[in-house]
PDB file of all heavy atoms in Angstrom:
ATOM      1  N   LEU A  29     167.906-155.471  66.786  1.00 98.00           N
ATOM      2  CA  LEU A  29     168.055-156.077  65.452  1.00 98.00           C
ATOM      3  C   LEU A  29     168.033-157.606  65.502  1.00 98.00           C
ATOM      4  O   LEU A  29     167.863-158.271  64.477  1.00 98.00           O
ATOM      5  CB  LEU A  29     169.360-155.617  64.798  1.00 98.00           C
ATOM      6  CG  LEU A  29     169.363-154.172  64.294  1.00 98.00           C
ATOM      7  CD1 LEU A  29     170.768-153.744  63.917  1.00 98.00           C
ATOM      8  CD2 LEU A  29     168.424-154.048  63.088  1.00 98.00           C
ATOM      9  N   GLN A  30     168.209-158.160  66.695  1.00 97.00           N
ATOM     10  CA  GLN A  30     168.147-159.619  66.827  1.00 97.00           C
ATOM     11  C   GLN A  30     166.802-160.164  66.376  1.00 97.00           C
ATOM     12  O   GLN A  30     166.688-161.331  66.010  1.00 97.00           O
ATOM     13  CB  GLN A  30     168.377-160.020  68.291  1.00 97.00           C
ATOM     14  CG  GLN A  30     169.792-159.775  68.737  1.00 97.00           C
ATOM     15  CD  GLN A  30     170.048-160.100  70.197  1.00 97.00           C
ATOM     16  OE1 GLN A  30     171.167-160.208  70.610  1.00 97.00           O
ATOM     17  NE2 GLN A  30     168.994-160.241  71.001  1.00 97.00           N
ATOM     18  N   GLU A  31     165.786-159.309  66.425  1.00 97.00           N
ATOM     19  CA  GLU A  31     164.449-159.747  66.010  1.00 97.00           C
ATOM     20  C   GLU A  31     164.346-159.864  64.498  1.00 97.00           C
ATOM     21  O   GLU A  31     163.380-160.410  63.983  1.00 97.00           O
ATOM     22  CB  GLU A  31     163.378-158.764  66.521  1.00 97.00           C
ATOM     23  CG  GLU A  31     163.386-158.553  68.032  1.00 97.00           C
ATOM     24  CD  GLU A  31     163.291-159.866  68.798  1.00 97.00           C
ATOM     25  OE1 GLU A  31     162.591-160.777  68.326  1.00 97.00           O
ATOM     26  OE2 GLU A  31     163.965-159.992  69.854  1.00 97.00           O
ATOM     27  N   ARG A  32     165.300-159.281  63.773  1.00 97.00           N
ATOM     28  CA  ARG A  32     165.236-159.353  62.306  1.00 97.00           C
ATOM     29  C   ARG A  32     166.058-160.528  61.793  1.00 97.00           C
ATOM     30  O   ARG A  32     167.005-160.953  62.432  1.00 97.00           O
ATOM     31  CB  ARG A  32     165.840-158.083  61.695  1.00 97.00           C
ATOM     32  CG  ARG A  32     164.990-156.883  61.918  1.00 97.00           C
ATOM     33  CD  ARG A  32     165.366-155.849  60.879  1.00 97.00           C
ATOM     34  NE  ARG A  32     165.102-154.519  61.381  1.00 97.00           N
ATOM     35  CZ  ARG A  32     165.545-153.417  60.814  1.00 97.00           C
ATOM     36  NH1 ARG A  32     166.301-153.480  59.737  1.00 97.00           N
ATOM     37  NH2 ARG A  32     165.248-152.237  61.323  1.00 97.00           N
ATOM     38  N   ASP A  33     165.714-160.981  60.592  1.00 98.00           N
ATOM     39  CA  ASP A  33     166.531-162.003  59.950  1.00 98.00           C
ATOM     40  C   ASP A  33     167.896-161.426  59.638  1.00 98.00           C
ATOM     41  O   ASP A  33     168.027-160.216  59.439  1.00 98.00           O
ATOM     42  CB  ASP A  33     165.893-162.423  58.613  1.00 98.00           C
ATOM     43  CG  ASP A  33     164.712-163.333  58.855  1.00 98.00           C
ATOM     44  OD1 ASP A  33     164.592-163.864  59.979  1.00 98.00           O
ATOM     45  OD2 ASP A  33     163.897-163.484  57.924  1.00 98.00           O
ATOM     46  N   GLY A  34     168.888-162.281  59.544  1.00 98.00           N
ATOM     47  CA  GLY A  34     170.213-161.795  59.145  1.00 98.00           C
ATOM     48  C   GLY A  34     171.267-162.194  60.150  1.00 98.00           C
ATOM     49  O   GLY A  34     170.954-162.643  61.259  1.00 98.00           O
ATOM     50  N   ASP A  35     172.539-162.029  59.756  1.00 98.00           N
ATOM     51  CA  ASP A  35     173.647-162.341  60.659  1.00 98.00           C
ATOM     52  C   ASP A  35     174.049-161.074  61.406  1.00 98.00           C
ATOM     53  O   ASP A  35     174.113-160.004  60.810  1.00 98.00           O
ATOM     54  CB  ASP A  35     174.851-162.833  59.841  1.00 98.00           C
ATOM     55  CG  ASP A  35     174.548-164.153  59.142  1.00 98.00           C
ATOM     56  OD1 ASP A  35     173.823-164.984  59.740  1.00 98.00           O
ATOM     57  OD2 ASP A  35     175.028-164.349  58.003  1.00 98.00           O
ATOM     58  N   LYS A  36     174.320-161.227  62.699  1.00 98.00           N
ATOM     59  CA  LYS A  36     174.754-160.065  63.492  1.00 98.00           C
ATOM     60  C   LYS A  36     176.123-160.322  64.094  1.00 98.00           C
ATOM     61  O   LYS A  36     176.335-161.363  64.720  1.00 98.00           O
ATOM     62  CB  LYS A  36     173.765-159.765  64.634  1.00 98.00           C
ATOM     63  CG  LYS A  36     172.443-159.207  64.158  1.00 98.00           C
ATOM     64  CD  LYS A  36     171.405-160.261  64.196  1.00 98.00           C
ATOM     65  CE  LYS A  36     170.250-159.934  63.250  1.00 98.00           C
ATOM     66  NZ  LYS A  36     169.355-161.110  63.132  1.00 98.00           N
ATOM     67  N   PHE A  37     176.998-159.369  63.900  1.00 98.00           N
ATOM     68  CA  PHE A  37     178.342-159.441  64.476  1.00 98.00           C
ATOM     69  C   PHE A  37     178.562-158.197  65.341  1.00 98.00           C
ATOM     70  O   PHE A  37     178.541-157.079  64.823  1.00 98.00           O
ATOM     71  CB  PHE A  37     179.400-159.460  63.367  1.00 98.00           C
ATOM     72  CG  PHE A  37     179.377-160.700  62.518  1.00 98.00           C
ATOM     73  CD1 PHE A  37     178.725-160.719  61.297  1.00 98.00           C
ATOM     74  CD2 PHE A  37     180.019-161.860  62.950  1.00 98.00           C
ATOM     75  CE1 PHE A  37     178.711-161.873  60.513  1.00 98.00           C
ATOM     76  CE2 PHE A  37     180.013-163.011  62.170  1.00 98.00           C
ATOM     77  CZ  PHE A  37     179.352-163.020  60.955  1.00 98.00           C
ATOM     78  N   TYR A  38     178.748-158.376  66.626  1.00 98.00           N
ATOM     79  CA  TYR A  38     179.017-157.248  67.522  1.00 98.00           C
ATOM     80  C   TYR A  38     180.337-157.523  68.254  1.00 98.00           C
ATOM     81  O   TYR A  38     180.531-158.609  68.802  1.00 98.00           O
ATOM     82  CB  TYR A  38     177.869-157.072  68.527  1.00 98.00           C
ATOM     83  CG  TYR A  38     176.550-156.755  67.835  1.00 98.00           C
ATOM     84  CD1 TYR A  38     175.378-157.419  68.187  1.00 98.00           C
ATOM     85  CD2 TYR A  38     176.492-155.811  66.809  1.00 98.00           C
ATOM     86  CE1 TYR A  38     174.175-157.138  67.535  1.00 98.00           C
ATOM     87  CE2 TYR A  38     175.301-155.534  66.157  1.00 98.00           C
ATOM     88  CZ  TYR A  38     174.152-156.198  66.520  1.00 98.00           C
ATOM     89  OH  TYR A  38     172.980-155.928  65.870  1.00 98.00           O
ATOM     90  N   PHE A  39     181.214-156.534  68.219  1.00 98.00           N
ATOM     91  CA  PHE A  39     182.532-156.835  68.792  1.00 98.00           C
ATOM     92  C   PHE A  39     183.049-155.705  69.678  1.00 98.00           C
ATOM     93  O   PHE A  39     182.568-154.579  69.650  1.00 98.00           O
ATOM     94  CB  PHE A  39     183.540-157.153  67.682  1.00 98.00           C
ATOM     95  CG  PHE A  39     183.828-155.985  66.792  1.00 98.00           C
ATOM     96  CD1 PHE A  39     184.875-155.131  67.080  1.00 98.00           C
ATOM     97  CD2 PHE A  39     183.037-155.728  65.692  1.00 98.00           C
ATOM     98  CE1 PHE A  39     185.142-154.042  66.279  1.00 98.00           C
ATOM     99  CE2 PHE A  39     183.292-154.633  64.877  1.00 98.00           C
ATOM    100  CZ  PHE A  39     184.350-153.796  65.168  1.00 98.00           C
ATOM    101  N   ILE A  40     184.053-156.065  70.461  1.00 98.00           N
ATOM    102  CA  ILE A  40     184.690-155.136  71.384  1.00 98.00           C
ATOM    103  C   ILE A  40     185.975-154.672  70.702  1.00 98.00           C
ATOM    104  O   ILE A  40     186.877-155.481  70.457  1.00 98.00           O
ATOM    105  CB  ILE A  40     184.978-155.850  72.719  1.00 98.00           C
ATOM    106  CG1 ILE A  40     183.656-156.434  73.245  1.00 98.00           C
ATOM    107  CG2 ILE A  40     185.613-154.915  73.727  1.00 98.00           C
ATOM    108  CD1 ILE A  40     183.837-157.583  74.183  1.00 98.00           C
ATOM    109  N   ALA A  41     186.025-153.385  70.371  1.00 98.00           N
ATOM    110  CA  ALA A  41     187.113-152.862  69.525  1.00 98.00           C
ATOM    111  C   ALA A  41     188.354-152.591  70.373  1.00 98.00           C
ATOM    112  O   ALA A  41     188.744-151.448  70.630  1.00 98.00           O
ATOM    113  CB  ALA A  41     186.642-151.610  68.789  1.00 98.00           C
TER     114      ALA A  41
END
Side-chain angles (χ1 to χ4, degrees):
L29 286 169
Q30 291 177 165
E31 303 306 324
R32 290 201 207 167
D33 283 344
D35 295 324
K36 289 103 202 170
F37 293 98
Y38 298 134
F39 65 91
I40 304 156

